[in-house]
Amino acid sequence: MIANNPLLENFDYAPFSKIKNEHYKPAIKQAIQLANQEIDAITNLNEKPTFQNTIEALEYSGEKLGRITGIFFNINAAETNEEIQQIAQEISPWLSKFKNDLLLNEALFTRVKTVFQEKENLNLTPEQQMLLEKHYKSFSRNGANLSDTDKEKLREIDTELAQLSLSFGEHVLAETNAYELLIENEADLEGLPEDEKETAAQLAKANGRDGFLFTLQYPSYLPFMKYVKNRTLRKKMALAFGKKAFQDNVFNNEEIVLKIAKLRYQRAQLLGYKTHAHFVLEERMAKNPEKVNNFLAELKEKAQTKAKAQFNELETFAKNLDNIDRLEKWDSAYYAEKLKQQRFDLDDEKLKPYFKLENVIKGVFDISEKLYQLKFQEVDNIDKYHEEVKTYQVTNTQGDKVALLYADFHPRAGKRGGAWMTVYKDQQQKNNHNERPHISIVCNFTRATENKPSLLTFNEVTTLFHEFGHALHGMLANTTYPSLSGTSVYWDFVELPSQLLENWCYEEEALALFAKHYQTNELIPQNLIEKIKKAANFLEGMQTLRQLSFGMLDMAWHATNPSDIDNVKKHETQAFEATKLFPDASENCMSTAFSHIFQGGYSSGYYSYKWAEVLDADAFAYFKENGIFNLEIATKFKNHILSQGGTQDPMLLYKRFRGKEPNPNALLKRAGLLD
């Protein structure tokens, strides 16, 4: 299939419509060969190693392989099937071998090391210094100094880890897709809004069934848990959600979790680090597990009293309302919604008519134009991987091309859950040309029905803004080197742009741009805006404790020696003990479906959501003091944060924007955790 393989041709936009599954393996195989030839060209040079002939040459090598694998793995996340998953399993060892061959290449490391040792005399720019350090560390932190025997062990570990991670994700997706709850009697759905019933009825009809069909996809699962009065059915759904990949079937992930944790530890030890977390955090703002654990513990100390008080209040409310014996996990969303309605007279169903998907998209575009002078033009001449994907050309106010944006909003069987931003083409400056990036956001939002357009919950609105914040980080990238571009920053810094943009969802001046009733075009009433603001900190102590518990679970897997762990559930239960509010459900286990840390890039990094919240609360306080559309501050954020990627230390970049280090009290104040 090498002949006429679209992936091997020169292309700017990904040629989705031309790609067949059988193109991937031969294209990747040939791209690996090409990348190896590019590496050989560097190592075979007789000239003295220089920054240009070694570091820059290495940086720009493997570009075709990167584009092809980027397309493949993005498709494997957003539009997969069994054949693609099988290909992923087959190519994963090839890519692990290629990476190991590169990082364990002694001749290449010798050249890189030579340049690194002369760095003080090379008169490099800050970005070039960062690139040199990044490439040197990629070797030194990944086995270049190991013995041949240990290098072989590292290869074996990396190959196995790559395949285990793929299997983990496939199992979670399979379990998510496998579960269906068919409700035939409409009376069982008391409390569920008509919109949600219509969606469930439509799903049942599409599957040739009578009644109302519910799945574990978030747009189906979350409204069910929030509104359905029938406690037995809520329990059934919650247990099904919580035991994904924790059942006695071929999709069980317990052994995979144990293997991943132990292999990561062995790998870290091999490289001279105490634990996997020590290895990872060396290249983070936090620097070490002790600082992360202290950070989580300090926030827990401040949140726990409020969280327990809020839990007791919610439990008392539920007992008084429905005479339940105790508050369980499957009661939380339901009674929280009831209490929120009582306290603030605020119901998501009252808000949804003001958040038509198309209006929210236009809103985030308009806000980006006000802040960063961007224009978004939907185009229909760009190839797509699915008919539902929308494509936009992004320009600045002078008409210069800034980026291409793909947007994929609704759940499908081939799409993994959650929401994410990804890249199809990196921004870089090469041959005196600034190559602009191709960015994608992928979500799982409520679909339109036969009678209504896609109306978003307020949580979905903030999710869209969150992912768009990541997209802006990618689209406004303006660096020289692709590996330092866009979101290629320290992991505990990457959430700053995304979490910062969420703040505009709560501001009257921003909501006035897009929160309009889908039928009447009436602007969202002022009293609803006030209620949204007042409800912003509702049960924030509980929510904070929940997020901290996930960070602590991550560290429990990765900041200790896992060699003696033989029971995933038991280990998880111990990790959750310090933050526990709800009774445990023995049938459930989070770790077996905790894709962030066992499939995504968040191992030893889940704390970064809270870490970045400190940054974003402090950054938004700066906007609030001077106006949320203050052009001077927005320009500083664009110039010092969004455009700079990973070219310099993130705290240095933040201080250039803000003029000082972040104040943690900004987060505590915003969350209502400071008295």
Side-chain angles (χ1 to χ4, degrees):
M1 289 298 297
I2 297 293
N4 301 319
N5 189 324
L7 290 166
L8 290 171
E9 294 170 7
N10 291 325
F11 57 84
D12 185 20
Y13 303 119
F16 294 115
S17 63
K18 297 178 183 175
I19 302 170
K20 295 184 170 62
N21 287 347
E22 56 264 32
H23 289 139
Y24 286 115
K25 285 196 292 185
I28 290 168
K29 192 171 283 186
Q30 187 157 320
I32 288 173
Q33 290 173 359
L34 176 61
N36 281 327
Q37 289 166 13
E38 292 167 343
I39 299 301
D40 289 342
I42 299 171
T43 57
N44 292 336
L45 271 179
N46 292 322
E47 302 164 22
K48 179 189 173 186
T50 66
F51 182 82
Q52 284 72 28
N53 71 22
T54 299
I55 306 302
E56 279 194 343
L58 176 58
E59 172 71 2
Y60 292 125
S61 69
E63 187 174 349
K64 185 170 281 291
L65 178 62
R67 289 293 311 269
I68 295 169
T69 54
I71 291 170
F72 175 78
F73 284 109
N74 284 333
I75 292 299
N76 192 36
E79 188 59 21
T80 195
N81 54 48
E82 285 186 14
E83 189 179 357
I84 287 175
Q85 290 175 1
Q86 180 59 39
I87 294 168
Q89 290 286 354
E90 290 181 52
I91 66 170
S92 179
W94 303 354
L95 296 170
S96 291
K97 181 179 184 303
F98 169 76
K99 183 184 175 188
N100 284 132
D101 286 346
L102 176 70
L103 295 176
L104 300 177
N105 184 321
E106 289 184 29
L108 184 59
F109 181 49
T110 299
R111 291 185 67 89
V112 170
K113 196 172 186 178
T114 300
V115 181
F116 185 75
Q117 289 170 338
E118 295 177 1
K119 63 180 178 178
E120 303 303 329
N121 306 317
L122 299 179
N123 196 28
L124 301 176
T125 67
E127 183 175 357
Q128 289 173 328
Q129 290 175 27
M130 183 64 83
L131 186 74
L132 174 56
E133 187 171 307
K134 182 170 183 171
H135 278 301
Y136 175 75
K137 283 184 175 179
S138 72
F139 286 92
S140 63
R141 283 170 46 82
N142 286 284
N145 294 314
L146 295 178
S147 68
D148 288 346
T149 303
D150 284 345
K151 283 179 180 176
E152 194 51 44
K153 282 183 189 171
L154 189 72
R155 289 175 184 275
E156 291 169 5
I157 288 173
D158 285 347
T159 299
E160 190 172 359
L161 277 172
Q163 290 180 306
L164 287 169
S165 177
L166 279 173
S167 296
F168 181 96
E170 288 167 7
H171 290 178
V172 174
L173 181 61
E175 291 276 81
T176 303
N177 288 338
Y179 185 81
E180 293 179 342
L181 178 65
L182 183 68
I183 304 294
E184 295 176 332
N185 184 355
E186 188 173 351
D188 288 336
L189 297 177
E190 181 183 349
L192 190 69
E194 289 303 316
D195 284 5
E196 309 301 343
K197 283 188 199 173
E198 184 184 348
T199 299
Q202 202 166 297
L203 184 61
K205 184 180 177 183
N207 283 269
R209 322 270 281 279
D210 293 326
F212 306 86
L213 192 62
F214 298 90
T215 72
L216 300 182
Q217 299 281 4
Y218 280 110
S220 180
Y221 175 75
L222 293 178
F224 192 98
M225 298 307 298
K226 189 185 280 191
Y227 293 112
V228 171
K229 184 176 182 180
N230 189 315
R231 195 182 187 206
T232 304
L233 290 177
R234 287 203 315 271
K235 178 179 179 180
K236 191 173 184 178
M237 278 290 272
L239 291 180
F241 190 89
K243 63 185 178 184
K244 285 184 290 188
F246 188 60
Q247 303 179 75
D248 186 16
N249 61 24
V250 295
F251 302 124
N252 186 291
N253 270 342
E254 289 173 272
E255 276 304 310
I256 289 178
V257 165
L258 291 173
K259 282 182 182 175
I260 289 176
K262 290 172 183 179
L263 285 169
R264 283 174 174 169
Y265 175 76
Q266 289 168 27
R267 187 182 194 279
Q269 289 268 298
L270 199 60
L271 294 168
Y273 293 86
K274 188 177 177 182
T275 67
H276 178 67
H278 285 84
F279 170 76
V280 169
L281 293 168
E282 185 180 67
E283 292 293 284
R284 300 287 193 266
M285 291 178 78
K287 299 304 180 191
N288 58 63
E290 292 71 32
K291 190 161 185 180
V292 170
N293 285 328
N294 288 338
F295 170 74
L296 294 172
E298 285 173 23
L299 279 181
K300 180 177 83 74
E301 194 66 31
K302 295 192 167 69
Q304 197 153 35
T305 302
K306 284 269 173 76
K308 286 180 176 177
Q310 289 167 359
F311 178 84
N312 291 335
E313 179 188 18
L314 189 62
E315 186 170 56
T316 301
F317 173 77
K319 285 179 176 179
N320 291 339
L321 190 67
D322 287 330
N323 199 31
I324 65 169
D325 50 349
R326 65 178 184 179
L327 196 70
E328 302 278 4
K329 289 177 181 176
W330 45 88
D331 298 317
S332 178
Y334 179 76
Y335 288 109
E337 182 64 21
K338 290 283 186 190
L339 182 58
K340 187 171 79 171
Q341 288 179 25
Q342 183 190 84
R343 179 167 299 169
F344 305 106
D345 187 28
L346 185 66
D347 179 355
D348 247 338
E349 292 305 303
K350 291 179 184 174
L351 294 177
K352 280 169 64 176
Y354 295 97
F355 296 123
K356 179 182 173 184
L357 174 60
E358 289 76 9
N359 290 348
V360 181
I361 295 167
K362 185 178 184 303
V364 81
F365 287 172
D366 289 347
I367 288 166
S368 300
E369 181 177 353
K370 280 178 170 285
L371 292 171
Y372 307 119
Q373 292 79 59
L374 296 176
K375 298 276 188 184
F376 298 83
Q377 176 71 43
E378 186 169 4
V379 289
D380 57 11
N381 60 341
I382 303 294
D383 220 339
K384 307 172 183 182
Y385 59 85
H386 192 279
E387 60 183 10
E388 290 184 336
V389 175
K390 295 178 179 293
T391 50
Y392 303 89
Q393 288 288 5
V394 187
T395 57
N396 60 24
T397 45
Q398 288 78 46
D400 302 319
K401 184 178 176 183
V402 172
L404 173 70
L405 175 67
Y406 299 90
D408 183 359
F409 291 118
H410 301 295
R412 297 184 296 273
K415 186 195 284 192
R416 69 175 168 89
W420 64 94
M421 167 268 187
T422 189
V423 180
Y424 281 100
K425 179 188 173 187
D426 290 311
Q427 180 271 329
Q428 61 179 314
Q429 294 187 43
K430 193 176 178 185
N431 301 325
N432 297 315
H433 178 64
N434 194 331
E435 296 275 348
R436 299 312 303 165
H438 299 173
I439 304 297
S440 175
I441 55 172
V442 188
C443 307
N444 281 279
F445 293 151
T446 308
R447 285 186 176 278
T449 66
E450 291 173 357
N451 301 313
K452 289 182 180 175
S454 174
L455 302 176
L456 303 189
T457 64
F458 189 69
N459 184 59
E460 288 177 323
V461 173
T462 58
T463 296
L464 177 53
F465 271 67
H466 180 101
E467 298 309 329
F468 204 82
H470 283 309
L472 287 169
H473 203 178
M475 291 187 288
L476 289 169
N478 196 29
T479 63
T480 303
Y481 304 111
S483 72
L484 299 177
S485 179
T487 55
S488 299
V489 300
Y490 279 0
W491 211 263
D492 44 10
F493 194 60
V494 77
E495 295 296 336
L496 167 60
S498 55
Q499 292 177 187
L500 177 65
L501 197 64
E502 289 183 44
N503 289 283
W504 274 260
C505 298
Y506 298 89
E507 298 296 320
E508 180 183 355
E509 199 178 343
L511 287 167
L513 297 172
F514 67 93
K516 297 171 183 176
H517 198 285
Y518 78 101
Q519 289 174 312
T520 65
N521 213 32
E522 172 206 3
L523 197 62
I524 189 168
Q526 180 63 36
N527 70 316
L528 277 184
I529 294 174
E530 291 305 317
K531 288 174 184 178
I532 289 171
K533 286 183 175 179
K534 286 178 183 175
N537 289 336
F538 180 59
L539 302 183
E540 184 60 36
M542 286 176 67
Q543 291 300 327
T544 297
L545 202 62
R546 181 172 179 266
Q547 279 293 98
L548 294 175
S549 75
F550 297 165
M552 289 174 177
L553 176 61
D554 175 24
M555 296 308 284
W557 279 115
H558 295 118
T560 57
N561 179 353
S563 304
D564 294 331
I565 303 171
D566 57 10
N567 186 303
V568 173
K569 174 70 175 179
K570 183 180 176 184
H571 183 67
E572 175 176 298
T573 303
Q574 290 169 346
F576 280 153
E577 190 59 42
T579 55
K580 182 179 175 184
L581 293 173
F582 291 91
D584 180 56
S586 60
E587 307 98 310
N588 286 181
C589 181
M590 181 182 179
S591 298
T592 56
F594 199 174
S595 298
H596 274 76
I597 68 169
F598 290 114
Q599 184 192 13
Y602 280 85
S603 65
S604 305
Y606 200 86
Y607 76 92
S608 59
Y609 282 105
K610 277 294 166 194
W611 186 278
E613 268 193 63
V614 171
L615 298 173
D616 103 66
D618 183 70
F620 192 64
Y622 191 23
F623 274 100
K624 284 284 281 184
E625 289 160 14
N626 298 280
I628 65 166
F629 290 116
N630 184 292
L631 192 55
E632 182 184 349
I633 294 172
T635 301
K636 285 171 71 175
F637 192 74
K638 177 171 72 172
N639 291 345
H640 296 306
I641 307 288
L642 296 177
S643 68
Q644 293 299 302
T647 55
Q648 294 188 58
D649 180 88
M651 189 55 81
L652 189 67
L653 294 175
Y654 188 83
K655 286 194 288 188
R656 282 183 190 153
F657 155 67
R658 188 65 166 100
K660 63 183 183 67
E661 290 199 1
N663 181 358
N665 284 343
L667 168 62
L668 299 170
K669 185 178 177 182
R670 185 178 71 183
L673 299 177
L674 271 185
D675 292 323

